[in-house]
Coordinates of all heavy atoms in Angstrom, one line a residue:
E321 N 55.8 19.2 22.5 CA 57.0 19.5 21.8 C 57.2 18.6 20.5 O 57.5 19.0 19.5 CB 58.2 19.5 22.7 CG 58.3 20.7 23.7 CD 58.2 22.0 23.0 OE1 59.0 22.2 21.9 OE2 57.4 22.9 23.4
L322 N 57.0 17.3 20.8 CA 57.2 16.4 19.7 C 56.1 16.6 18.7 O 56.3 16.4 17.5 CB 57.1 15.0 20.2 CG 57.3 13.8 19.2 CD1 58.6 14.0 18.4 CD2 57.2 12.5 19.9
C323 N 54.8 16.9 19.2 CA 53.8 17.1 18.3 C 54.1 18.3 17.3 O 53.8 18.2 16.1 CB 52.5 17.4 19.0 SG 51.0 17.5 18.0
K324 N 54.5 19.4 17.9 CA 54.9 20.6 17.1 C 56.0 20.2 16.1 O 55.9 20.6 14.9 CB 55.4 21.7 17.9 CG 54.3 22.4 18.7 CD 55.0 23.5 19.6 CE 54.1 24.1 20.6 NZ 54.7 25.1 21.5
K325 N 57.0 19.5 16.5 CA 58.1 19.1 15.5 C 57.5 18.2 14.4 O 57.9 18.4 13.3 CB 59.2 18.4 16.4 CG 60.4 18.0 15.6 CD 61.4 17.3 16.5 CE 62.6 16.9 15.7 NZ 63.6 16.2 16.4
A326 N 56.6 17.3 14.8 CA 56.1 16.4 13.8 C 55.2 17.2 12.8 O 55.2 16.9 11.6 CB 55.3 15.3 14.5
I327 N 54.4 18.2 13.3 CA 53.6 19.0 12.3 C 54.5 19.7 11.4 O 54.3 19.8 10.2 CB 52.8 20.0 13.2 CG1 51.7 19.2 14.0 CG2 52.1 21.0 12.2 CD1 51.0 20.1 15.0
D328 N 55.6 20.3 11.9 CA 56.6 21.0 11.0 C 57.1 20.1 10.0 O 57.3 20.5 8.8 CB 57.7 21.7 11.9 CG 57.2 22.9 12.7 OD1 56.1 23.4 12.4 OD2 57.9 23.2 13.7
Q329 N 57.6 18.9 10.4 CA 58.2 18.0 9.5 C 57.2 17.5 8.5 O 57.5 17.3 7.3 CB 58.8 16.8 10.2 CG 60.1 17.2 11.0 CD 60.5 16.1 11.9 OE1 59.8 15.7 12.8 NE2 61.8 15.7 11.8
F330 N 55.9 17.3 8.9 CA 54.9 16.9 8.0 C 54.6 17.9 7.0 O 54.5 17.6 5.8 CB 53.6 16.6 8.8 CG 52.4 16.4 8.0 CD1 52.1 15.2 7.2 CD2 51.5 17.3 7.9 CE1 51.1 15.0 6.4 CE2 50.3 17.2 7.1 CZ 50.2 16.0 6.3
E331 N 54.5 19.1 7.4 CA 54.1 20.2 6.4 C 55.2 20.5 5.5 O 54.9 20.9 4.4 CB 53.7 21.5 7.3 CG 52.4 21.4 8.0 CD 52.0 22.6 8.8 OE1 52.9 23.4 9.2 OE2 50.8 22.8 9.0
A332 N 56.4 20.3 5.9 CA 57.6 20.4 5.0 C 57.6 19.4 3.8 O 58.1 19.7 2.7 CB 58.9 20.4 5.7
L333 N 56.9 18.2 4.0 CA 57.0 17.2 3.1 C 55.6 17.0 2.4 O 55.6 16.4 1.3 CB 57.4 15.8 3.8 CG 58.8 15.8 4.4 CD1 58.9 14.5 5.2 CD2 59.8 15.7 3.2
N334 N 54.5 17.4 3.0 CA 53.2 17.0 2.5 C 52.8 17.7 1.2 O 53.0 18.9 1.0 CB 52.1 17.3 3.6 CG 50.8 17.0 3.1 OD1 50.5 15.9 2.8 ND2 49.9 18.0 3.2
Q335 N 52.2 16.9 0.4 CA 51.6 17.4 -0.9 C 50.1 17.1 -1.0 O 49.5 17.5 -1.9 CB 52.3 16.7 -2.1 CG 53.8 17.0 -2.2 CD 54.1 18.4 -2.5 OE1 53.4 19.0 -3.3 NE2 55.2 18.9 -1.9
D336 N 49.6 16.4 0.0 CA 48.1 16.0 0.0 C 47.3 17.1 0.6 O 47.4 17.4 1.8 CB 48.0 14.7 0.8 CG 46.6 14.1 0.6 OD1 45.6 14.9 0.4 OD2 46.5 12.9 0.7
P337 N 46.4 17.7 -0.1 CA 45.5 18.8 0.3 C 44.6 18.3 1.4 O 44.1 19.2 2.2 CB 44.8 19.3 -0.9 CG 44.8 18.1 -1.9 CD 46.1 17.4 -1.6
I338 N 44.3 17.1 1.5 CA 43.3 16.6 2.5 C 44.0 16.6 3.9 O 43.5 16.9 4.9 CB 42.8 15.2 2.1 CG1 41.9 15.3 0.9 CG2 42.0 14.6 3.3 CD1 41.4 14.0 0.3
D339 N 45.2 15.9 3.9 CA 45.9 15.7 5.2 C 46.3 17.1 5.8 O 46.5 17.0 7.1 CB 47.2 14.9 4.9 CG 46.8 13.4 4.7 OD1 45.7 13.0 4.9 OD2 47.7 12.7 4.1
K340 N 46.4 18.1 5.1 CA 46.8 19.3 5.7 C 45.8 19.9 6.8 O 46.2 20.5 7.7 CB 47.0 20.5 4.6 CG 45.7 20.9 4.0 CD 45.8 22.0 3.0 CE 44.5 22.5 2.5 NZ 44.6 23.5 1.5

Side-chain angles (χ1 to χ4, degrees):
E321 285 305 311
L322 180 58
C323 186
K324 284 179 189 175
K325 185 179 176 183
I327 292 170
D328 290 339
Q329 288 170 302
F330 168 75
E331 289 179 336
L333 295 168
N334 181 52
Q335 299 292 323
D336 190 331
I338 295 176
D339 289 345
K340 70 178 183 182

